[in-house]
């Protein structure tokens, strides 16, 4: 059985406490009813959904944090219910977390199919293998593409039509690593196995194909650094292909 306890927390949030007994049977019943098929063997169902369920507890706990992130970063967001219902970027991130767990379980086709439906519903394409940290905010969202080997740290913000893409046809790491606190403006393209340093900002419409150090502002095509460590550069420096340490923070596993 599932016991739900609803109570107000301050003004904007509704707290829901889940007490779940025999979770595999409950999930099996719900899914079977939805698909209108007979109950599958519990052993097979448990093998498929147990890792997803284990992540689910952590996922539910992060929902409030994600909503608070939107309220803090978007002045157009007024209430938690508005954010919950009307922000496709938030929906895409939540569904990606589920697809990512399915991908890690080895059901790659199912995960890709889930990501396909997320793109259909939200206009945002996130490969289920992409690693995304906490408090990731996609504002507006339409046209955002995040590739397979992309790694995104915590507190990252991206706007519509951003591409975190690969270059070439080689296997392995071919998409960017975005470190903590980065902001990527609308229409920007960050391409290849490069690293965007912490707290850097990528201007709208910029194309970045080389590493960026921490605390930089980059604009243009090709991208040039115009501000570094709070100091404006006279003519803008072309981004040096520096060797930066890969991001090592916590991930949504």
């Amino acid at each position: 059985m599932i016991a739900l306890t609803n109570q107000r927390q301050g003004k904007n949030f509704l707290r829901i406490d889940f007490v779940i007994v025999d979770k595999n049977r409950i999930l099996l019943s719900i899914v079977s009813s939805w698909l209108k098929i007979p109950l599958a063997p519990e052993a097979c169902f448990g093998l498929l959904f147990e890792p997803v369920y284990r992540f689910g507890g952590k996922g539910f706990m992060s929902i409030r944090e994600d909503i608070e992130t939107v309220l803090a970063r978007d002045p157009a967001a007024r209430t938690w219910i508005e954010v919950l219902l009307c922000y496709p970027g938030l929906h895409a991130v939540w569904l990606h977390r589920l697809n990512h767990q399915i991908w890690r379980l080895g059901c790659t086709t199912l995960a890709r199919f889930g990501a396909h439906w997320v793109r259909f519903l939200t206009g945002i394409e996130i490969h289920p293998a992409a690693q995304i940290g906490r408090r990731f905010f996609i504002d507006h969202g339409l046209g955002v593409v995040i590739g397979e080997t992309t790694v995104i740290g915590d507190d990252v913000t991206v706007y519509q039509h951003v591409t975190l893409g690969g270059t070439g046809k080689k296997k392995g790491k071919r998409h960017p690593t975005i470190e903590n606190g980065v902001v990527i403006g609308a229409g920007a393209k960050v391409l290849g196995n490069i690293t965007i340093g912490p707290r850097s900002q990528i201007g709208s419409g910029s194309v970045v194909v080389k590493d960026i150090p921490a605390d930089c502002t980059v604009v243009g095509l090709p991208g040039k650094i115009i501000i570094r460590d709070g100091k404006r550069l006279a003519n803008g420096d072309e981004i040096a292909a520096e060797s930066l340490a890969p991001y090592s923070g916590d991930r949504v596993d």
Side-chain angles (χ1 to χ4, degrees):
M1 61 183 299
I2 302 178
L4 300 180
T5 302
N6 300 337
Q7 59 185 28
R8 284 287 180 183
Q9 295 288 322
K11 296 182 179 180
N12 294 327
F13 291 97
L14 186 67
R15 180 178 177 181
I16 303 178
D17 297 317
F18 291 84
V19 179
I20 300 183
V21 180
D22 196 3
K23 52 188 174 292
N24 285 342
R25 182 175 291 278
I26 292 170
L27 289 171
L28 178 60
S29 177
I30 293 172
V31 173
S32 297
S33 174
W34 178 51
L35 296 178
K36 297 182 179 179
I37 60 175
L39 296 180
E42 281 196 11
C44 296
F45 183 85
L47 178 65
L48 176 61
F49 283 96
E50 180 70 17
V52 178
Y53 170 81
R54 286 204 303 269
F55 169 76
K58 185 166 61 174
F60 283 125
M61 293 297 291
S62 71
I63 288 177
R64 175 169 178 164
E65 181 178 68
D66 291 333
I67 293 174
E68 288 176 334
T69 296
V70 176
L71 290 169
R73 297 186 200 172
D74 185 2
R78 294 174 175 81
T79 65
W80 72 270
I81 190 65
E82 177 184 323
V83 172
L84 186 66
L85 297 177
C86 304
Y87 277 74
L90 200 60
H91 305 154
V93 171
W94 287 343
L95 291 170
H96 167 74
R97 290 173 181 165
L98 177 62
N99 291 328
H100 183 62
Q101 293 307 306
I102 296 173
W103 177 273
R104 294 183 68 230
L105 189 62
C107 302
T108 55
T109 301
L110 180 60
R112 289 295 301 272
F113 184 70
H116 171 77
W117 274 101
V118 172
R119 181 179 65 176
F120 175 77
L121 293 171
T122 67
I124 298 168
E125 181 175 345
I126 308 177
H127 193 285
Q131 300 178 56
I132 297 178
R134 297 171 61 187
R135 298 178 296 275
F136 178 52
F137 178 37
I138 304 175
D139 198 3
H140 302 293
L142 185 65
V144 169
V145 177
I146 300 176
E148 177 184 8
T149 61
T150 302
V151 179
I152 299 174
D154 299 333
D155 302 302
V156 172
T157 301
V158 304
Y159 291 85
Q160 67 272 20
H161 295 289
V162 164
T163 298
L164 305 180
T167 54
K169 298 181 180 179
K170 293 182 179 180
K171 300 287 187 179
K173 185 76 166 76
R174 61 191 184 279
H175 296 90
T177 296
I178 312 297
E179 297 198 355
N180 292 347
V182 171
V183 177
I184 305 179
K189 315 299 179 187
V190 183
L191 307 176
N193 182 17
I194 62 175
T195 299
I196 309 300
R199 300 170 302 279
S200 288
Q201 301 181 45
I202 311 299
S204 298
S206 301
V207 176
V208 181
V209 294
K210 295 182 179 180
D211 290 344
I212 299 177
D215 300 299
C216 289
T217 299
V218 178
V219 299
L221 195 169
K224 294 185 177 182
I225 299 173
I226 61 169
I227 297 176
R228 185 168 186 175
D229 295 325
K231 299 179 180 179
R232 181 173 292 274
L233 305 180
N235 299 316
D237 289 346
E238 288 198 13
I239 300 166
E242 302 180 17
S243 177
L244 301 180
Y247 179 76
S248 59
D250 294 335
R251 296 279 177 253
V252 178
D253 294 325

